[in-house]
Amino acid sequence: HVLKCPGTRLATPGEFSARAFLRGRLTLNEAEGVAATIAARSAEQLDAARLLMEGRTGETYRQLADACAAMLALVEAGIDFTDQEDVVPIAPKVLGERLRSVVQRVDSLIGASGGREHTDGQPRVAIVGNPNAGKSTLFNALLERRRAVASPIAGTTRDVLSERLDLSRVAPGAGEIELQDLPGLDPRVGSVIEVQSQRAARDAAAHADALIWCDPDGNFDERSLADLGGAGKAVLRVRTFGDRPAEGLGAHVEVCALDGWHLDTLRRALADVTGGSISEGVASLLPRHRRALAVARKSLESARRSIDPDAAALAAPEVVAGHLRHALGALGELVGHISPDDLIGRVFATFCVGK
């Protein structure tokens, strides 16, 4: 009955939180905490969302940014006094230890994703299976555009194709993944190009965070899972060509890429397996946080590797400062802009240049 009153309507998704944010009643992190609470799929994720709503996660981000800003201030102070050997604002060994400590704190926030070779913060999902299993057709259907060449001729896909896939439309809070279309896995190859193609496919499957295992008949031989690089990672068994009859019953999802049957079901399943494969904390719920933390970690680790802890002074302070600035910029996306005045203040708070 209320909706029948003039001027009354249903609120749009997130409208109340958006109004609170625009009126200054919620910070952006606190507003994201509301979304994270809705998207939470475990008790640990719910606890992480609560910390975000209470502002405690934001305070953790601020502490990380403060630590990076303090180190950057000292490194840049040293650049100003490179002609004075007796002025060393911070010893390389001490700086290296501080960097290691900050990296460990970032790792605790982004969980397993901190150890990935790819550091864009996006889960990587590879579509694997035999030749002509419908992998490229499924790849295009999930992206909702033609990106890969789909053909009934075996071996058409020779390269590993990667595209971003946004899952938030069907799974709020899920964010983006990196979806890969791999060449069909076939040991019966002869040419040099085919051998290289197989090697690239197996390498991509081994380094993926999760796999979509395609088979038109729904018959999945578990003995071949290790050969697919699926040991120890999430694997979604998908029967492609769902419009055709099949006897196999081993699929998690049956899809038809031609008419879109069950594609949203597969997208939601992808959101579930990739969300759990990263972390059970806030980084698994909010891709923006995950990306920023991953970028910051990579820059901090680069700064640490640029330091010789046994040296009396930094050999390349400009390089270290550049990495620290990049890390600080990434953290600034989570805590707000770090101004030059902040850096100047930290210089005079920790190192008296007048003496």
Side-chain angles (χ1 to χ4, degrees):
H1 297 290
V2 175
L3 291 177
K4 295 181 179 179
C5 298
T8 304
R9 62 173 176 80
L10 290 173
T12 59
E15 182 173 350
F16 290 111
S17 296
R19 289 187 177 191
F21 169 71
L22 293 173
R23 292 177 179 272
R25 301 295 181 87
L26 288 177
T27 66
L28 183 58
N29 282 338
E30 290 169 342
E32 287 179 312
V34 177
T37 300
I38 297 171
R41 295 186 292 271
S42 69
E44 190 173 358
Q45 288 184 345
L46 192 60
D47 289 341
R50 177 179 53 80
L51 293 176
L52 190 61
M53 290 181 63
E54 293 174 353
R56 292 159 67 180
T57 301
E59 178 59 29
T60 299
Y61 292 157
R62 169 58 65 179
Q63 292 173 1
L64 291 173
D66 285 346
C68 290
M71 288 186 288
L72 176 59
L74 292 171
V75 171
E76 293 195 334
I79 294 175
D80 292 337
F81 293 92
T82 53
D83 58 337
Q84 300 183 31
E85 296 182 358
D86 59 330
V87 178
V88 180
I90 185 168
K93 183 177 182 179
V94 174
L95 180 59
E97 291 173 350
R98 291 190 185 181
L99 284 167
R100 182 179 291 104
S101 175
V102 174
V103 168
Q104 290 174 347
R105 293 178 65 186
V106 173
D107 281 344
S108 69
L109 292 171
I110 60 179
S113 62
R116 290 180 180 162
E117 292 187 14
H118 55 292
T119 54
D120 56 5
Q122 293 176 338
R124 182 178 294 171
V125 180
I127 304 178
V128 300
N130 295 329
N132 285 351
K135 299 182 300 300
S136 295
T137 302
L138 179 61
F139 182 69
N140 290 336
L142 288 171
L143 295 176
E144 298 182 311
R145 61 187 176 89
R146 181 169 176 172
R147 174 64 176 86
V149 177
S151 169
I153 302 174
T156 300
T157 303
R158 295 288 184 87
D159 300 313
V160 176
L161 302 180
S162 298
E163 289 290 338
R164 291 184 178 183
L165 174 62
D166 187 359
L167 299 173
S168 61
R169 179 175 61 84
V170 296
E176 292 183 340
I177 64 171
E178 180 185 347
L179 186 66
Q180 294 185 323
D181 180 28
L182 272 54
L185 298 171
D186 186 359
R188 299 167 299 177
V189 294
S191 70
V192 175
I193 294 178
E194 289 174 333
V195 171
Q196 292 176 343
S197 176
Q198 291 295 298
R199 185 181 298 117
R202 296 179 188 279
D203 183 68
H207 288 85
D209 299 297
L211 301 178
I212 299 176
W213 186 1
C214 296
D215 189 280
D217 299 319
N219 294 316
F220 300 91
D221 185 356
E222 298 299 323
R223 292 174 298 180
S224 63
L225 186 59
D227 188 51
L228 289 171
K233 64 184 63 174
V235 179
L236 285 175
R237 295 164 178 81
V238 177
R239 185 176 84 83
T240 48
F241 306 144
D243 55 329
R244 303 177 186 177
E247 296 181 356
L249 300 175
H252 295 130
V253 184
E254 295 184 350
V255 302
C256 179
L258 297 180
D259 62 9
W261 184 59
H262 282 178
L263 285 182
D264 278 350
T265 302
L266 177 56
R267 291 186 180 101
R268 284 189 287 270
L270 283 172
D272 289 338
V273 300
T274 55
S277 68
I278 300 172
S279 165
E280 287 298 307
V282 70
S284 69
L285 296 171
L286 300 173
R288 182 178 76 90
H289 291 230
R290 185 168 64 243
R291 286 193 294 268
L293 290 170
V295 170
R297 185 196 188 282
K298 181 179 180 181
S299 298
L300 291 167
E301 191 62 31
S302 296
R304 191 180 68 84
R305 288 197 299 264
S306 302
I307 296 172
D308 178 4
D310 297 324
L314 295 175
E318 295 86 356
V319 174
V320 176
H323 291 312
L324 285 171
R325 279 195 174 277
H326 197 206
L328 194 58
L331 293 172
E333 296 180 17
L334 302 177
V335 302
H337 180 62
I338 306 296
S339 69
D341 289 341
D342 291 332
L343 296 179
I344 294 174
R346 286 178 173 84
V347 169
F348 288 100
T350 59
F351 176 65
C352 183
V353 297
K355 295 183 180 179

